[in-house]
Amino acid sequence: SYGDVKMMIPMMTSIEELRQVSVLVDHARDLLRQRKVRFNDKLEIGAMIEVPAAALSAEIFADRLDFLSIGTNDLIQYTLAIDRIDEEVNYLYNPLHPAVLYLIKITIDAGKKMKIPVSMCGEMASDPVNIPILLGLGIKKLSINPQSIPVIKNIIKLLDAKNAGLFIKKVLKETTDTGITELVLSTYGNILFETGYT
């Protein structure tokens, strides 16, 4: 046995898709019961929030699922209608765009309201500049690339969660990504510098 498995549904956009997945999962459970195969009947099911439609429906999903995970790479790409691989437009790919932060916030708020965990994966979670914002928004679980772990870990240790909560109120009033970046650097530049971020 490798322990309990959790299932995460990718690219969710509607409650109808969730219903279809639920039917398939229930069918798989019935087959296992018929074959007398042992399985965890309390399988936790979650969804990737990686398109704007999913973020805007996050509360509906959170009411029916066990967890959510924000997939920032795709969420940013689809929110800003850009292809991050296309060299002609990838400069427009910006995690700190106010619209992106808004979608992240409503997803986290949905998780809090429905009392389910919300995690995050993608390049956004590995950039030290974004960490004060993510903590301020209430993210508690990050999936990051291995080389970023020491710096991110040190930043989290030095940040005060209460201050990050107050800081995020200022961030959410900003209307440009440039303003948000400047706010992060003016508020947390010393911490970022101390932890080796340049």
Side-chain angles (χ1 to χ4, degrees):
S1 173
Y2 295 99
D4 289 334
V5 172
K6 295 181 183 183
M7 186 172 82
M8 186 154 55
I9 308 162
M11 287 290 171
M12 288 288 293
T13 62
S14 71
I15 196 66
E16 185 54 40
E17 291 173 347
L18 180 56
R19 287 192 187 108
Q20 290 170 2
V21 171
S22 297
V23 168
L24 293 172
V25 169
D26 288 343
H27 178 65
R29 285 178 172 139
D30 289 342
L31 285 175
L32 290 170
R33 286 188 193 103
Q34 288 170 20
R35 295 172 185 170
K36 300 189 182 333
V37 176
R38 290 180 60 213
F39 68 98
N40 178 9
D41 198 35
K42 304 287 186 192
L43 171 72
E44 288 191 25
I45 301 175
M48 283 288 282
I49 304 299
E50 49 194 336
V51 296
L56 294 168
S57 304
E59 194 169 310
I60 298 169
F61 293 143
D63 188 40
R64 293 161 173 82
L65 292 165
D66 300 303
F67 63 93
L68 299 174
S69 180
I70 303 170
T72 58
N73 292 351
D74 286 327
L75 183 62
I76 295 163
Q77 178 170 313
Y78 292 124
T79 301
L80 303 180
I82 59 100
D83 182 352
R84 58 198 170 102
I85 299 170
D86 186 336
E87 292 182 8
E88 291 190 23
V89 294
N90 64 9
Y91 70 94
L92 295 169
Y93 183 88
N94 193 333
L96 297 184
H97 189 290
V100 173
L101 296 184
Y102 173 73
L103 293 175
I104 291 170
K105 181 183 187 307
I106 60 177
T107 303
I108 295 168
D109 288 349
K112 287 177 186 172
K113 184 175 180 180
M114 299 302 171
K115 297 180 172 55
I116 66 166
V118 178
S119 60
M120 176 177 282
C121 60
E123 293 171 20
M124 184 176 185
S126 295
D127 188 339
V129 168
N130 300 331
I131 299 306
I133 292 173
L134 298 178
L135 291 184
L137 288 170
I139 280 285
K140 292 187 170 68
K141 277 188 176 180
L142 299 169
S143 175
I144 60 177
N145 60 56
Q147 61 266 31
S148 298
I149 291 173
V151 171
I152 301 298
K153 192 173 176 182
N154 286 334
I155 290 170
I156 290 171
K157 280 182 187 175
L158 293 170
L159 288 176
D160 181 299
K162 184 179 176 183
N163 287 341
L166 296 172
F167 167 70
I168 204 63
K169 290 180 181 176
K170 295 179 185 175
V171 168
L172 295 173
K173 288 178 183 173
E174 285 291 336
T175 57
T176 67
D177 53 298
T178 304
I180 292 169
T181 303
E182 288 174 356
L183 188 57
V184 173
L185 294 175
S186 64
T187 308
Y188 293 106
N190 288 344
I191 287 175
L192 294 172
F193 180 77
E194 282 175 34
T195 54
Y197 175 77
T198 53

Tab-separated table of all heavy atoms in Angstrom, residues 5-28:
chain	number	residue	atom	x	y	z
A	5	VAL	N	-4.856	7.815	-1.720
A	5	VAL	CA	-4.722	8.606	-2.939
A	5	VAL	C	-5.798	9.677	-2.937
A	5	VAL	O	-6.917	9.457	-2.478
A	5	VAL	CB	-4.902	7.694	-4.184
A	5	VAL	CG1	-4.961	8.518	-5.455
A	5	VAL	CG2	-3.779	6.676	-4.254
A	6	LYS	N	-5.436	10.858	-3.446
A	6	LYS	CA	-6.419	11.921	-3.657
A	6	LYS	C	-6.555	12.120	-5.162
A	6	LYS	O	-5.615	11.894	-5.904
A	6	LYS	CB	-5.960	13.225	-3.009
A	6	LYS	CG	-5.868	13.152	-1.501
A	6	LYS	CD	-5.439	14.497	-0.915
A	6	LYS	CE	-5.280	14.398	0.590
A	6	LYS	NZ	-4.922	15.709	1.179
A	7	MET	N	-7.713	12.538	-5.593
A	7	MET	CA	-7.931	12.759	-7.018
A	7	MET	C	-8.170	14.249	-7.274
A	7	MET	O	-8.976	14.879	-6.575
A	7	MET	CB	-9.138	11.959	-7.510
A	7	MET	CG	-9.319	12.052	-9.010
A	7	MET	SD	-10.588	10.921	-9.618
A	7	MET	CE	-12.036	11.876	-9.288
A	8	MET	N	-7.439	14.792	-8.262
A	8	MET	CA	-7.612	16.197	-8.614
A	8	MET	C	-8.077	16.292	-10.065
A	8	MET	O	-7.443	15.754	-10.962
A	8	MET	CB	-6.315	16.981	-8.411
A	8	MET	CG	-6.483	18.460	-8.634
A	8	MET	SD	-5.286	19.458	-7.716
A	8	MET	CE	-3.741	18.776	-8.260
A	9	ILE	N	-9.184	16.992	-10.275
A	9	ILE	CA	-9.771	17.130	-11.608
A	9	ILE	C	-9.157	18.349	-12.288
A	9	ILE	O	-9.246	19.466	-11.759
A	9	ILE	CB	-11.300	17.304	-11.516
A	9	ILE	CG1	-11.922	16.194	-10.667
A	9	ILE	CG2	-11.919	17.342	-12.908
A	9	ILE	CD1	-13.307	16.507	-10.159
A	10	PRO	N	-8.537	18.171	-13.456
A	10	PRO	CA	-7.920	19.313	-14.140
A	10	PRO	C	-8.927	20.102	-14.981
A	10	PRO	O	-9.977	19.593	-15.359
A	10	PRO	CB	-6.874	18.648	-15.041
A	10	PRO	CG	-7.494	17.324	-15.374
A	10	PRO	CD	-8.295	16.909	-14.162
A	11	MET	N	-8.586	21.342	-15.265
A	11	MET	CA	-9.316	22.189	-16.219
A	11	MET	C	-10.831	22.224	-15.992
A	11	MET	O	-11.608	22.216	-16.932
A	11	MET	CB	-9.035	21.739	-17.652
A	11	MET	CG	-7.660	22.097	-18.142
A	11	MET	SD	-7.496	23.885	-18.389
A	11	MET	CE	-5.730	23.998	-18.676
A	12	MET	N	-11.240	22.298	-14.750
A	12	MET	CA	-12.663	22.407	-14.448
A	12	MET	C	-13.187	23.756	-14.932
A	12	MET	O	-12.527	24.784	-14.751
A	12	MET	CB	-12.897	22.310	-12.944
A	12	MET	CG	-12.705	20.931	-12.381
A	12	MET	SD	-14.006	19.791	-12.821
A	12	MET	CE	-15.356	20.505	-11.939
A	13	THR	N	-14.373	23.752	-15.524
A	13	THR	CA	-14.990	25.027	-15.915
A	13	THR	C	-16.438	25.146	-15.469
A	13	THR	O	-16.962	26.251	-15.383
A	13	THR	CB	-14.955	25.231	-17.451
A	13	THR	OG1	-15.704	24.196	-18.081
A	13	THR	CG2	-13.532	25.252	-17.974
A	14	SER	N	-17.101	23.998	-15.187
A	14	SER	CA	-18.521	24.085	-14.843
A	14	SER	C	-18.925	22.993	-13.868
A	14	SER	O	-18.271	21.958	-13.758
A	14	SER	CB	-19.378	23.979	-16.104
A	14	SER	OG	-19.321	22.657	-16.606
A	15	ILE	N	-20.033	23.230	-13.194
A	15	ILE	CA	-20.546	22.242	-12.256
A	15	ILE	C	-21.003	20.986	-12.992
A	15	ILE	O	-20.956	19.879	-12.457
A	15	ILE	CB	-21.696	22.849	-11.408
A	15	ILE	CG1	-21.975	21.991	-10.176
A	15	ILE	CG2	-22.944	23.052	-12.237
A	15	ILE	CD1	-20.855	21.960	-9.167
A	16	GLU	N	-21.408	21.141	-14.236
A	16	GLU	CA	-21.822	19.977	-15.037
A	16	GLU	C	-20.656	19.008	-15.223
A	16	GLU	O	-20.834	17.785	-15.157
A	16	GLU	CB	-22.367	20.435	-16.396
A	16	GLU	CG	-22.933	19.318	-17.235
A	16	GLU	CD	-24.007	18.483	-16.540
A	16	GLU	OE1	-24.849	19.059	-15.831
A	16	GLU	OE2	-23.969	17.247	-16.697
A	17	GLU	N	-19.456	19.545	-15.450
A	17	GLU	CA	-18.278	18.680	-15.574
A	17	GLU	C	-18.028	17.926	-14.272
A	17	GLU	O	-17.673	16.749	-14.286
A	17	GLU	CB	-17.050	19.516	-15.932
A	17	GLU	CG	-17.098	20.093	-17.330
A	17	GLU	CD	-15.968	21.059	-17.603
A	17	GLU	OE1	-15.269	21.483	-16.658
A	17	GLU	OE2	-15.781	21.400	-18.782
A	18	LEU	N	-18.220	18.613	-13.154
A	18	LEU	CA	-18.036	17.962	-11.854
A	18	LEU	C	-19.051	16.841	-11.665
A	18	LEU	O	-18.712	15.764	-11.171
A	18	LEU	CB	-18.150	18.997	-10.730
A	18	LEU	CG	-17.977	18.472	-9.309
A	18	LEU	CD1	-16.646	17.740	-9.147
A	18	LEU	CD2	-18.082	19.619	-8.311
A	19	ARG	N	-20.272	17.073	-12.095
A	19	ARG	CA	-21.291	16.019	-12.000
A	19	ARG	C	-20.895	14.804	-12.841
A	19	ARG	O	-21.073	13.657	-12.425
A	19	ARG	CB	-22.652	16.558	-12.471
A	19	ARG	CG	-23.308	17.514	-11.499
A	19	ARG	CD	-24.756	17.780	-11.871
A	19	ARG	NE	-25.317	18.826	-11.028
A	19	ARG	CZ	-25.593	20.060	-11.445
A	19	ARG	NH1	-25.358	20.405	-12.707
A	19	ARG	NH2	-26.106	20.946	-10.624
A	20	GLN	N	-20.372	15.060	-14.039
A	20	GLN	CA	-19.963	13.956	-14.916
A	20	GLN	C	-18.846	13.137	-14.285
A	20	GLN	O	-18.856	11.897	-14.338
A	20	GLN	CB	-19.518	14.512	-16.266
A	20	GLN	CG	-20.656	15.082	-17.098
A	20	GLN	CD	-20.177	15.850	-18.317
A	20	GLN	OE1	-18.987	15.942	-18.585
A	20	GLN	NE2	-21.115	16.402	-19.078
A	21	VAL	N	-17.879	13.832	-13.675
A	21	VAL	CA	-16.786	13.131	-12.992
A	21	VAL	C	-17.336	12.316	-11.822
A	21	VAL	O	-16.938	11.166	-11.603
A	21	VAL	CB	-15.707	14.127	-12.503
A	21	VAL	CG1	-14.692	13.428	-11.606
A	21	VAL	CG2	-15.000	14.772	-13.684
A	22	SER	N	-18.270	12.886	-11.073
A	22	SER	CA	-18.855	12.185	-9.922
A	22	SER	C	-19.543	10.898	-10.351
A	22	SER	O	-19.445	9.864	-9.672
A	22	SER	CB	-19.855	13.093	-9.196
A	22	SER	OG	-19.193	14.222	-8.679
A	23	VAL	N	-20.229	10.938	-11.479
A	23	VAL	CA	-20.892	9.734	-12.005
A	23	VAL	C	-19.852	8.658	-12.313
A	23	VAL	O	-20.030	7.475	-11.968
A	23	VAL	CB	-21.719	10.075	-13.273
A	23	VAL	CG1	-22.158	8.805	-13.994
A	23	VAL	CG2	-22.923	10.923	-12.899
A	24	LEU	N	-18.744	9.064	-12.949
A	24	LEU	CA	-17.690	8.106	-13.293
A	24	LEU	C	-17.031	7.525	-12.039
A	24	LEU	O	-16.735	6.322	-11.976
A	24	LEU	CB	-16.641	8.779	-14.181
A	24	LEU	CG	-17.116	9.190	-15.579
A	24	LEU	CD1	-16.047	10.027	-16.284
A	24	LEU	CD2	-17.479	7.968	-16.408
A	25	VAL	N	-16.794	8.376	-11.041
A	25	VAL	CA	-16.178	7.909	-9.791
A	25	VAL	C	-17.117	6.928	-9.084
A	25	VAL	O	-16.685	5.874	-8.590
A	25	VAL	CB	-15.821	9.103	-8.874
A	25	VAL	CG1	-15.431	8.620	-7.481
A	25	VAL	CG2	-14.690	9.920	-9.482
A	26	ASP	N	-18.406	7.266	-9.031
A	26	ASP	CA	-19.376	6.364	-8.391
A	26	ASP	C	-19.433	5.018	-9.125
A	26	ASP	O	-19.534	3.964	-8.497
A	26	ASP	CB	-20.769	7.007	-8.368
A	26	ASP	CG	-20.860	8.146	-7.360
A	26	ASP	OD1	-19.985	8.220	-6.466
A	26	ASP	OD2	-21.792	8.962	-7.477
A	27	HIS	N	-19.351	5.064	-10.454
A	27	HIS	CA	-19.354	3.829	-11.248
A	27	HIS	C	-18.111	2.981	-10.925
A	27	HIS	O	-18.213	1.750	-10.759
A	27	HIS	CB	-19.385	4.172	-12.743
A	27	HIS	CG	-19.350	2.976	-13.634
A	27	HIS	ND1	-20.375	2.046	-13.680
A	27	HIS	CD2	-18.410	2.538	-14.518
A	27	HIS	CE1	-20.066	1.099	-14.537
A	27	HIS	NE2	-18.884	1.365	-15.069
A	28	ALA	N	-16.953	3.639	-10.815
A	28	ALA	CA	-15.716	2.920	-10.479
A	28	ALA	C	-15.821	2.299	-9.089
A	28	ALA	O	-15.388	1.152	-8.875
A	28	ALA	CB	-14.526	3.876	-10.550
